[in-house]
């Protein structure tokens, strides 16, 4: 189990505050099953701490969340089952925006929502992310509540993918 030491509390999207131990248990408890009505998300970030925090927060709110820490793992994953991708603009030495462009150009994943995140969100980075096909962007470090709001906003604007489990 990976310990996260820089947060002492975890706030769910429903406004409840849980101690860190409860949040970590949410992320590893196999008895908790998301209802999948919210959607399926893939998080692409080298930082496993970010991925596990997003997974725990969204899982508790009914999303199914998977994660990849490198490009090889990402492209060996069936991306057609996801409603949304949250991707760092710099992943495994690659430009995340090139990955976004590839995802958006592929017929089977073009309708997937994409939110990019970065520690460097200069105006040119934001413009490049949006031009690559991202639906939204988020500056790191980010609030999980803000990320949840942005995810819900992107999912509201996306048509349900065929074969996807997202129900609007």
């Amino acid at each position: 189990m990976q310990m996260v030491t820089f947060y002492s509390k975890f706030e769910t999207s429903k406004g409840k505050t849980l101690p860190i131990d409860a949040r970590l248990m949410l992320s590893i408890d196999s008895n908790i099953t998301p209802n999948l009505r919210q959607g399926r998300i893939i998080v692409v970030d080298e930082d496993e701490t970010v991925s596990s925090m997003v997974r725990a927060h969204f899982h508790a709110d009914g999303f199914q969340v998977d994660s990849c820490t490198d490009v090889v793992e990402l492209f060996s994953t069936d991306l057609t089952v996801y409603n949304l991708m949250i991707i760092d603009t710099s992943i495994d030495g690659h430009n995340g925006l090139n990955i976004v462009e590839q995802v958006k150009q592929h017929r089977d994943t073009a309708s997937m929502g994409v939110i990019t995140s970065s520690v460097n969100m200069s105006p040119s980075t934001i413009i490049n992310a949006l031009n690559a096909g991202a639906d939204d962007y988020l500056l790191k470090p980010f609030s999980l509540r803000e990320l949840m709001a942005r995810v819900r906003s992107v999912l509201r604007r996306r048509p349900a993918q065929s074969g996807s489990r997202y129900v609007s």
Side-chain angles (χ1 to χ4, degrees):
M1 176 164 76
Q2 183 177 2
M3 291 300 294
V4 179
T5 56
F6 52 88
Y7 289 95
S8 61
K9 294 181 182 176
F10 169 71
E11 187 174 324
T12 68
S13 63
K14 296 177 182 170
K16 293 183 181 178
T17 302
L18 303 173
I20 189 73
D21 293 341
R23 182 186 55 78
L24 288 173
M25 291 184 71
L26 279 174
S27 68
I28 62 170
D29 188 347
S30 60
N31 295 325
I32 298 175
T33 307
N35 66 18
L36 297 179
R37 292 184 57 111
Q38 300 293 345
R40 192 161 178 194
I41 299 170
I42 187 161
V43 178
V44 185
D45 198 306
E46 290 176 317
D47 188 344
E48 291 184 32
T49 303
V50 170
S51 298
S52 65
M53 288 175 55
V54 170
R55 188 172 37 254
H57 186 73
F58 281 73
H59 186 82
D61 212 37
F63 288 89
Q64 181 174 343
V65 180
D66 299 315
S67 61
C68 294
T69 57
D70 60 58
V71 175
V72 173
E73 184 180 5
L74 174 66
F75 284 116
S76 65
T77 302
D78 179 9
L79 296 178
T80 63
V81 300
Y82 296 99
N83 306 97
L84 185 122
M85 175 189 298
I86 301 167
I87 184 169
D88 191 326
T89 58
S90 176
I91 179 78
D92 192 31
H94 292 85
N95 183 342
L97 300 183
N98 291 338
I99 296 168
V100 171
E101 286 177 342
Q102 290 177 33
V103 165
K104 290 300 192 168
Q105 290 173 358
H106 194 278
R107 173 178 49 114
D108 296 330
T109 55
S111 66
M112 181 182 354
V114 175
I115 297 175
T116 58
S117 65
S118 176
V119 293
N120 175 18
M121 279 297 192
S122 65
S124 64
T125 303
I126 296 168
I127 291 166
N128 290 337
L130 295 172
N131 286 337
D135 298 288
D136 205 345
Y137 58 89
L138 199 55
L139 179 64
K140 282 183 167 182
F142 50 78
S143 153
L144 290 172
R145 290 178 62 199
E146 180 182 2
L147 177 61
M148 178 67 76
R150 290 177 183 273
V151 164
R152 290 188 186 285
S153 176
V154 168
L155 290 177
R156 277 193 306 269
R157 296 187 308 247
R158 308 305 292 171
Q161 291 170 257
S162 61
S164 117
R165 297 178 182 161
Y166 177 68
V167 178
S168 53

